[in-house]
Structures are given as structure tokens and as C-alpha cells.
Amino acid sequence: MENSCFKIGLVFLGFLVGVSQPRAQNLVPNPSFEEYSDCPTTEGQLENATGWVNPNPASQATPDYYNSCNCQNTNVFNLCVPHSTIGYQQAHSGVAYAGVFTFSYLVSNAREYLQIKLSDTLVQRRKYLVGFYCSLRDDLCNLATNNWGAFLSRDAISKNIFLIDTIPQLVNGSGIPLTSKTEWMLVSDTIEAEGGEAYITIGNFFQDSLTDTVSVYLEINGQPSTYWGYK
């Protein structure tokens, strides 16, 4: 089984007052996923993180929510931060993060996404710094992918299929798979708003045929081996 699944940390979107001087305000509510309505107890509970939603639930996509509040949970599916069923990962900021699939050889165009309404709509022709941090999951996710992106839209996205086929304003680009399972990797760029964008959706918006993958290996007795275990 070969999959690509990532943890998502801090998400930010702020408008620029100069060439490279971002204003401090973050237009993404609950950017580090710390605020929650209920502590997660099993997989697929992204919406326990205040404001965040799963835009394609009818496809059976189940983005996950990890929080340190789960650390005392005796449920088999441990969603604790930093020690969880998927391995070990300190949060980028605070005590929580989310997790999604970006590619799988088992299901064509298998995708999961995160979506939230911004605290304010974007202004036409104003430039914004958009970005987020991600880290490859530790356990069964032995493929790294490129095409991590963020799509800004006027209306909320709701799909009944896995792939949300659109062109994101932010994408990490061709031939640049994100391979680290320990570090938080930054995906960011400056975009110019069309005006009226009120939602941000994060994930892989490209078909399998347009997504680059690379196997993530671990040396065992001097030989490369697909990584399956926990750190």
C-alpha cells in the first residue's frame, strides 16, 4: 500500500502593506487548530476544530484532527499531540494540527481537504501573503507529493467526489515533493486577489497524472526500505 498523507500546522493569510512587509493580522480563524468544540476521539473529526470543515464528505474523505487534549484518551485510535497512532510530531504552533490524504495508489485521485471561512473578504487587486506548514505523516504514508496548494474562493466548496478539480492560487510546484516526516515545511507565496474571496481550501487539487510522487525510504542494514513503522 502506497499513500501520501500529511499533517497540516499553522495556516496564515495576511495582506501586504509593502513589497515584503506583511500586516500582523491573520485572516484565517483558528489557524493552529487549537480551538475546538469537542476533543477528537477517533479519525475523521476535523470539524471538531472550530471553524474548519471537510468540503467533500460525500466522497468518504475523512480529514483527521489531532490535539493534546486526546492524550488521556484510551481509544485505540490515538489522536494525541505529540505522540499519536501515526507517530511523533510536535505541533508547529500550540498543541494541535490536522491531517489529510493527498494521493493513493489504492483509489484514483484520492484526496482530502481542509476548508474555513476567512475573518474578512479579500480586496480586489490587493496583494496577500498566503501560506501553511505541512509534514509527511510517519506511518503508512511512504510517498511524498508535490502540488500542495491553497484555493481562495468567494463561496464555500462542497463536492461529492474526492478530487476538487480547480487551479489553486498557491501551489508548491512541479517536481518539488515535500518529503520531511520530522520538519514542518513551509508552502507560501504572494497572490493578488480578484476580490470577494471569503474561503480558503487546502489540499492537492491536481489529478494523479499531474502529481509528482517520490518514495520515502529508510535505510535498514544498509539497504533502502519503504518506511512502514513508527518513529
Side-chain angles (χ1 to χ4, degrees), residues 110-128:
R111 304 288 185 269
E112 292 176 339
Y113 301 89
L114 315 173
Q115 183 178 138
I116 196 167
K117 185 176 183 179
L118 304 177
S119 59
D120 199 1
T121 57
L122 305 193
V123 178
Q124 187 179 28
R125 290 192 294 274
R126 180 170 285 175
K127 292 185 177 181
Y128 293 82

Side-chain angles (χ1 to χ4, degrees), residues 101-178:
F101 271 90
T102 61
F103 183 95
S104 175
Y105 279 136
L106 297 178
V107 180
S108 178
N109 294 317
R111 304 288 185 269
E112 292 176 339
Y113 301 89
L114 315 173
Q115 183 178 138
I116 196 167
K117 185 176 183 179
L118 304 177
S119 59
D120 199 1
T121 57
L122 305 193
V123 178
Q124 187 179 28
R125 290 192 294 274
R126 180 170 285 175
K127 292 185 177 181
Y128 293 82
L129 177 64
V130 184
F132 56 88
Y133 290 87
C134 61
S135 179
L136 189 63
R137 205 171 100 170
D138 291 354
D139 58 349
L140 301 181
C141 299
N142 52 338
L143 290 176
T145 64
N146 68 330
N147 284 345
W148 260 108
F151 179 61
L152 296 154
S153 57
R154 294 185 178 184
D155 301 311
I157 296 173
S158 181
K159 295 287 186 179
N160 60 5
I161 57 175
F162 273 120
L163 179 66
I164 297 176
D165 190 3
T166 189
I167 304 299
Q169 293 91 335
L170 167 66
V171 63
N172 78 303
S174 176
I176 314 175
L178 301 170

Side-chain angles (χ1 to χ4, degrees), residues 216-220 223-228:
V216 179
Y217 293 107
L218 179 69
E219 290 283 330
I220 298 178
Q223 299 296 321
S225 175
T226 302
Y227 186 74
W228 289 91

